[in-house]
Amino acid sequence: MDPVLSLSQQELLSLKHQVSLALKEDLSAIDANLDITAQLIDSQNHSEATIITRESMTVCGVAWVNEVFAQLDGSITIDWLVSDGQVVEANSVLCRLSGSSRSLLTGERTALNFLQTLSATATVAAFYTQKLAGSNTRLLDTRKTLPGLRLAQKYAVRCGGGTNHRIGLYDAYLIKENHIAACGGIRQAVDRARQLNPGKPVEVEVENLDEFGQALQAQADIVMLDNFSLADINQAVTQNQQSSRPAQLEVSGNITDDRLHQLKDTGVDFISSGALTKHITAIDLSMRIS
């Protein structure tokens, strides 16, 4: 498997916890026998099932589906016909399942919830990434993720060809307007960050070219150009190239299809978009029992 699509140990632990919480929402405890509707079916009934997509998509969530049924009933078998990161057409069969009819029906909604949500993020990320094809600009996600699904959606962005920004508030600095005001200025905020955690990347969000100049002088590692016009982005790129210590440049704010096309040739290093994780529409999936 491509290492980009591998789950880290932290992501694997998070996955198990996410699935456990989701199953408890449905069952109150992880016990398939608590599904009173499934109890209408004879306990000896065995079924085959398929999961089908009704629309084209970039797949993400295989491990979550596997974990749902592993926690519910270890005897369920799943034969995947696709893998994470793969683009599939509408009406494709994604996998075949076999086992207890009760367990299949009990796990159906939880499994589909994960698969349709994570595939939605991967599909949007793949669409945006394609818009940047031919450039050196990378697509970044943000912290605007669904609560409890941070690591899952970050993985989904990678499945779509995007790149993860910082994971949370602990692994990198992102100094914004309110931080700057509270610290007394950009230089003061950056200097303080270097003193406290000299090994952590320092990024500063700026709202105009004057602030951009200050961030460059403060030697920020990354400068985020928030809601800059195309003309100001081009000016910032030129100014950065002329700097004795250039920073990496990130563009954020109002990232639309048309704007991606405009930005890909500006020479910025990154484009970040919260839409990858918060403006998604779940993929239309269904599970059919036979």
Side-chain angles (χ1 to χ4, degrees):
M1 179 184 288
D2 186 326
V4 172
L5 301 185
S6 296
L7 286 157
S8 69
Q9 187 62 33
Q10 184 184 14
E11 288 168 336
L12 283 169
L13 290 173
S14 178
L15 178 161
K16 292 178 183 295
H17 182 61
Q18 290 158 0
V19 168
S20 174
L21 287 177
L23 287 172
K24 288 175 182 176
E25 283 181 332
D26 257 351
L27 295 165
S28 77
I30 303 177
D31 181 353
N33 293 318
L34 295 173
D35 180 354
I36 61 174
T37 310
Q39 296 302 308
L40 300 174
I41 304 166
D42 188 282
S43 62
Q44 300 305 309
N45 273 21
H46 181 284
S47 294
E48 308 291 325
T50 55
I51 295 179
I52 299 169
T53 178
R54 300 303 183 188
E55 56 187 306
S56 60
M57 60 181 277
T58 298
V59 178
C60 181
V62 167
W64 281 261
V65 175
N66 290 344
E67 183 66 21
V68 166
F69 288 104
Q71 290 193 25
L72 273 181
D73 182 347
S75 69
I76 297 290
T77 62
I78 307 176
D79 177 24
W80 285 95
L81 307 180
V82 299
S83 57
D84 283 349
Q86 183 176 338
V87 178
V88 298
E89 298 303 318
N91 300 313
S92 296
V93 175
L94 306 181
C95 66
R96 297 190 176 95
L97 306 93
S98 178
S100 162
S101 303
R102 286 184 176 184
S103 297
L104 287 172
L105 290 170
T106 297
E108 173 186 3
R109 176 42 51 199
T110 301
L112 292 183
N113 282 347
F114 281 114
L115 189 60
Q116 66 185 19
T117 300
L118 298 183
S119 293
T121 292
T123 299
V124 174
F127 176 75
Y128 277 28
T129 300
Q130 184 57 41
K131 293 287 185 182
L132 297 174
S135 75
N136 292 320
T137 302
R138 286 182 285 168
L139 179 70
L140 294 180
D141 51 26
T142 71
R143 286 172 49 242
K144 297 175 182 177
T145 51
L146 299 175
L149 289 180
R150 170 69 54 80
L151 293 180
Q153 286 195 289
K154 292 275 186 180
Y155 170 73
V157 167
R158 299 204 308 275
C159 286
T163 301
N164 294 153
H165 207 298
R166 60 180 181 157
I167 300 301
L169 296 172
Y170 58 89
D171 56 333
Y173 285 99
L174 180 47
I175 300 169
K176 298 189 174 189
E177 178 184 13
N178 287 332
H179 301 105
I180 293 168
C183 289
I186 290 174
R187 166 68 72 178
Q188 292 91 325
V190 172
D191 287 349
R192 182 67 171 155
R194 300 284 191 212
Q195 292 168 6
L196 291 173
N197 290 287
K200 301 289 187 182
V202 178
E203 179 170 0
V204 178
E205 179 183 280
V206 299
E207 298 180 349
N208 53 59
L209 287 169
D210 177 62
E211 290 181 352
F212 173 69
Q214 294 178 50
L216 273 187
Q217 290 179 354
Q219 298 189 347
D221 298 311
I222 308 170
V223 182
M224 179 192 292
L225 312 177
D226 186 42
N227 285 304
F228 271 44
S229 67
L230 186 60
D232 282 353
I233 290 171
N234 287 326
Q235 186 171 337
V237 169
T238 299
Q239 186 176 341
N240 189 53
Q241 291 171 340
Q242 295 170 349
S243 171
S244 60
R245 189 182 183 278
Q248 290 185 302
L249 300 185
E250 176 183 337
V251 172
S252 182
N254 192 31
I255 303 302
T256 62
D257 299 356
D258 290 340
R259 196 150 189 252
L260 280 169
H261 183 71
Q262 292 176 335
L263 293 171
K264 65 177 288 188
D265 296 321
T266 59
V268 298
D269 299 282
F270 309 108
I271 295 173
S272 58
S273 173
L276 300 177
T277 50
K278 70 185 182 77
H279 289 168
I280 56 170
T281 301
I283 300 295
D284 185 5
L285 303 176
S286 64
M287 189 171 90
R288 290 290 178 261
I289 296 280
S290 59

